Amino acid sequence: MARDNHGRAAELLTVRQVLDELGGISRRTFYRWRELRIAPACIRLPNGELRVRRDVLNDWLEDRAERAAS
């Protein structure tokens, strides 16, 4: 089982859930980001499906947050 940064069981999101969280971006855009290696890190399950840990998505979004000018 995947663990978050605090050793707890991590919530695993489907690609559809990630797309919805990102405001409804297209599946094509997400897979293009993966090709460019700018998408959040994914876990490939034995059946070939992808999952993204909730904490990884949150960290990925935080890294992309624009900061207000000081």
Side-chain angles (χ1 to χ4, degrees):
M1 173 175 283
R3 299 277 174 193
D4 67 10
N5 296 333
H6 303 288
R8 299 177 297 225
E11 178 184 5
L12 297 178
L13 303 172
T14 64
V15 170
R16 170 55 46 208
Q17 289 171 312
V18 172
L19 300 179
D20 291 344
E21 292 256 345
L22 296 176
I25 66 164
S26 72
R27 184 174 292 270
R28 181 174 183 201
T29 295
F30 180 79
Y31 281 97
R32 179 70 177 141
W33 289 353
R34 281 185 43 82
E35 288 175 13
L36 296 172
R37 300 188 184 279
I38 58 174
C42 296
I43 298 169
R44 184 171 303 279
L45 300 177
N47 65 2
E49 292 183 11
L50 297 176
R51 295 292 184 271
V52 177
R53 288 183 8 206
R54 163 70 64 195
D55 61 319
V56 169
L57 179 61
N58 290 343
D59 291 345
W60 182 84
L61 288 170
E62 184 64 28
D63 288 346
R64 280 146 187 82
E66 292 186 5
R67 306 290 181 224
S70 303

